[in-house]
Amino acid sequence: MENFLKTIKGIKDRGDAQLFIDGEWRKSSGSTVLDVIAPHNEEVVLQYVEPGTADMDAAVAAARRAFDVGPWPRLSPAERGVYLRKVADLLAERMPELAEAWSGQVGAVIGFTSKASYQAPGLFNYYAGLCDSYPFIDERTGSMGGNRARVVGEPVGVVAAITPWNAPLVLLIYKVAAALAAGCTIVAKPSPETPVDAHILAECIAAAGIPAGVFNMLPGGREVGDHLIRHPGIDKIGFTGSTAAGKHIAGVAAERLARVSLELGGKSAAMILDDADMDHVLQSLVPYSMPITGQVCFALTRVLVPKSRKAEIVDAYTNAVSKVKVGDPFQADVGIGPLAMNRQLDRVLGYIEKGKAEGARVALGGGRPAGLNRGFFVEPTVFADVTPDMTIFREEIFGPVVSFVDYEDEADMIAKANDTIYGLHGAVYTQDPERGFAVARDYRAGSVTINGMQVDIHMPFGGFKQSGIGRDGGIEGLENYLETKTVYFA
Ligand code: NAD
């Protein structure tokens, strides 16, 4: 908590100037005061004035200038990579602050955030590496008798980067590091509830010497976000958030054919095959069915178990989860913190009631934990005897609520796993990796882990179906921010 308070003090020392526009900290022209609340004790740790539409316009104008006439898109990729490495080094120096900002605003446990925050400098270093190795200019020979062409990856332009609150820094950096590597300029709109990490990022980008206007940062809510996506100065919208907001954004972008990539919701399946070793399954299923108190898009919230092993698997999982300590996310022995905000608590409790009402059996939890009256805590909850028609199986709850469904045979398992509008991630557990690979091919999702749970920043991540369009991370994440131009030499 000490490092979090230090970061907050640094932000407060800027007084009213809480928006990063055109290389400087500026005061908002708006009037709505927003609170940042620590979810484990409900204390207001920071207040700031939400940006007004005039501030968004100023940020887009600055990013537009930096793109249209500024040096950034005109540097060689290798020159941009040097700046990206500087940002990575500066972020790495502030690792304890990054981890605590995540825990302090979202309630994610410190044991997790202190490891996962390394993705922040990791992404900048990774995209700096691609600045050196990616074929931004590809020499080709055509079909018309030795004619030559250069196929060029050009930056897509001014990017609106809009991100949610659950992993505020990492999700923003997926977009920012890739877009900067491509030569784009950016207006970032982080979630209003979790602006602190984005302040640290803006400070590091400024300290690295990236030119004014290339990166602008204005935390704010839906209305100001809506103004941003409709702005004709925005060429590309890189969005991570709910499927409902993603559909709206895709509709707005379609009107002017602005480029758009969408990282949306999920309802990922853990498919346990009949030969799976339960000790091995539990090592990843316990933490990754409820990461960040279940508030992660790829959380494994639907567990599919063979009918013959149903009782054994539900008991083993429930027993393991019941041993995870719920409490203050800053305590090293706590495995599950609070939900991130009061509206999340209402939402999750509402789904738990719906699960009970629709006839699922509560195998664990099902309410608020005893003795934790301050903070947005909810019990880790396991529902058994869930059927695919139940709301808790179909909708993204975004909380620590896991549903167990049994299946007859592998075909039945695949059918149930695919019986969803989502297609983000999944896991297959089996002692035969090639059998697992065959199941992974049949499951309709952007990524699948066999015998564990991995999301690697060097690999593409994103959704099939209503889980999104496009990929963040990996080489594909860079290509999200490139347009293809063919230049012929006649
Ligand atoms: P949300 O859609 O409510 O908000 C996400 C962001 O979009 C916020 O910054 C919000 O202010 C902004 N926003 C909302 N409506 C907007 C509009 N009309 N115009 C412009 N901006 C708008 O989502 P949330 O509650 O913050 O986040 C939770 C959701 O995010 C879950 O559905 C989760 O699965 C999803 N998510 C997906 C991924 C992924 O990589 N696929 C990662 C994390 C979270």
Side-chain angles (χ1 to χ4, degrees):
M1 194 76 180
E2 192 187 318
N3 288 293
F4 183 47
L5 296 176
K6 180 178 135 196
T7 313
I8 296 278
K9 182 178 176 313
I11 294 173
K12 284 183 177 168
D13 285 348
R14 282 198 271 275
D16 288 343
Q18 299 290 327
L19 311 177
F20 189 68
I21 300 172
D22 210 8
E24 59 184 24
W25 291 97
R26 290 193 195 165
K27 198 176 158 198
S28 169
S29 67
S31 55
T32 308
V33 177
L34 300 174
D35 293 336
V36 179
I37 297 171
H40 65 289
N41 60 15
E42 302 182 39
E43 276 174 23
V44 176
V45 291
L46 181 69
Q47 289 190 308
Y48 66 100
V49 181
E50 190 175 30
T53 53
D55 304 310
M56 274 298 170
D57 293 345
V60 176
R64 197 72 260 168
R65 263 193 315 279
F67 186 79
D68 293 338
V69 295
W72 189 254
R74 290 158 194 88
L75 295 177
S76 70
E79 286 170 319
R80 288 197 292 271
V82 173
Y83 286 97
L84 264 64
R85 283 198 181 86
K86 279 190 203 161
V87 179
D89 291 345
L90 291 161
L91 285 167
E93 284 169 19
R94 299 183 69 176
M95 203 54 60
E97 279 185 83
L98 299 183
E100 291 197 12
W102 196 348
S103 295
Q105 297 171 101
V106 181
V109 295
I110 197 75
F112 170 80
T113 60
S114 47
K115 288 193 201 110
S117 293
Y118 278 96
Q119 292 173 314
L123 278 160
F124 270 98
N125 276 324
Y126 173 67
Y127 284 108
L130 284 190
C131 283
D132 296 331
S133 63
Y134 184 80
F136 286 91
I137 300 179
D138 189 22
E139 303 277 354
R140 298 194 199 171
T141 305
S143 65
M144 296 187 287
N147 62 322
R148 283 195 304 126
R150 283 182 190 151
V151 179
V152 185
E154 298 258 359
V156 68
V158 177
V159 172
I162 301 179
T163 45
W165 44 263
N166 61 326
L169 187 61
V170 172
L171 295 175
L172 181 59
I173 289 184
Y174 264 107
K175 301 183 191 315
V176 171
L180 288 177
C184 296
T185 63
I186 300 159
V187 178
K189 192 211 74 63
S191 258
E193 300 91 349
T194 53
V196 171
D197 337 52
H199 277 257
I200 299 176
L201 177 61
E203 289 165 15
C204 292
I205 285 177
I210 290 182
V214 171
F215 177 78
N216 307 272
M217 191 286 291
L218 304 86
R222 257 154 225 248
E223 290 75 24
V224 84
D226 209 62
H227 183 76
L228 180 62
I229 60 169
R230 290 177 192 280
H231 201 297
I234 295 293
D235 299 305
K236 152 102 195 191
I237 304 162
F239 175 77
T240 300
S242 62
T243 292
K247 286 180 186 173
H248 169 77
I249 287 170
V252 170
E255 283 169 27
R256 62 180 196 283
L257 290 183
R259 284 12 180 190
V260 65
S261 51
L262 305 168
E263 297 283 338
L264 309 177
K267 192 80 188 172
S268 300
M271 294 165 274
I272 303 182
L273 303 196
D274 49 14
D275 66 340
D277 168 46
M278 261 330 273
D279 288 341
H280 189 80
V281 171
L282 293 176
Q283 284 168 28
S284 53
L285 187 60
V286 172
Y288 289 107
S289 52
M290 301 181 178
I292 316 187
T293 320
Q295 300 163 117
V296 173
C297 53
F298 57 71
L300 298 166
T301 52
R302 296 183 301 145
V303 186
L304 295 148
V305 296
K307 211 166 223 164
S308 56
R309 295 185 62 189
K310 173 176 136 178
E312 168 216 339
I313 293 174
V314 173
D315 285 355
Y317 174 81
T318 304
N319 186 37
V321 172
S322 68
K323 291 188 179 133
V324 179
K325 188 171 170 188
V326 180
D328 182 340
F330 286 96
Q331 279 177 18
D333 62 338
V334 165
I336 295 185
L339 291 163
M341 56 199 74
N342 209 8
R343 76 175 138 87
Q344 271 294 102
L345 183 59
D346 289 345
R347 175 188 169 93
V348 173
L349 289 174
Y351 274 109
I352 290 174
E353 287 316 308
K354 216 168 242 175
K356 292 176 187 168
E358 291 182 5
R361 176 170 66 84
V362 178
L364 184 74
R368 300 208 61 187
L372 288 169
N373 303 323
R374 270 189 98 201
F376 310 127
F377 291 97
V378 67
E379 284 182 311
T381 296
V382 181
F383 279 110
D385 303 331
V386 175
T387 52
D389 55 313
M390 290 183 188
T391 309
I392 53 170
F393 181 88
R394 308 207 73 76
E395 295 185 11
E396 184 185 48
I397 299 173
F398 227 50
V401 182
V402 172
S403 296
F404 277 75
V405 176
D406 52 56
Y407 64 82
E408 299 287 345
D409 54 23
E410 223 167 277
D412 185 35
M413 179 194 76
I414 292 288
K416 284 174 173 156
N418 283 333
D419 183 10
T420 170
I421 59 165
Y422 296 110
L424 194 58
H425 192 84
V428 189
Y429 294 96
T430 170
Q431 295 193 41
D432 177 351
E434 288 307 321
R435 187 179 170 204
F437 183 67
V439 170
R441 293 294 307 272
D442 280 339
Y443 177 61
R444 302 282 299 158
S447 50
V448 184
T449 308
I450 296 163
N451 289 325
M453 176 70 207
Q454 292 187 0
V455 173
D456 185 324
I457 56 176
H458 293 200
M459 302 288 169
F461 180 81
F464 280 27
K465 302 193 269 184
Q466 294 189 30
S467 285
I469 296 174
R471 297 290 179 269
D472 275 357
I475 294 166
E476 292 77 2
L478 172 67
E479 290 171 341
N480 245 345
Y481 296 97
L482 294 174
E483 286 273 24
T484 301
K485 179 185 283 179
T486 308
V487 181
Y488 292 100
F489 291 84

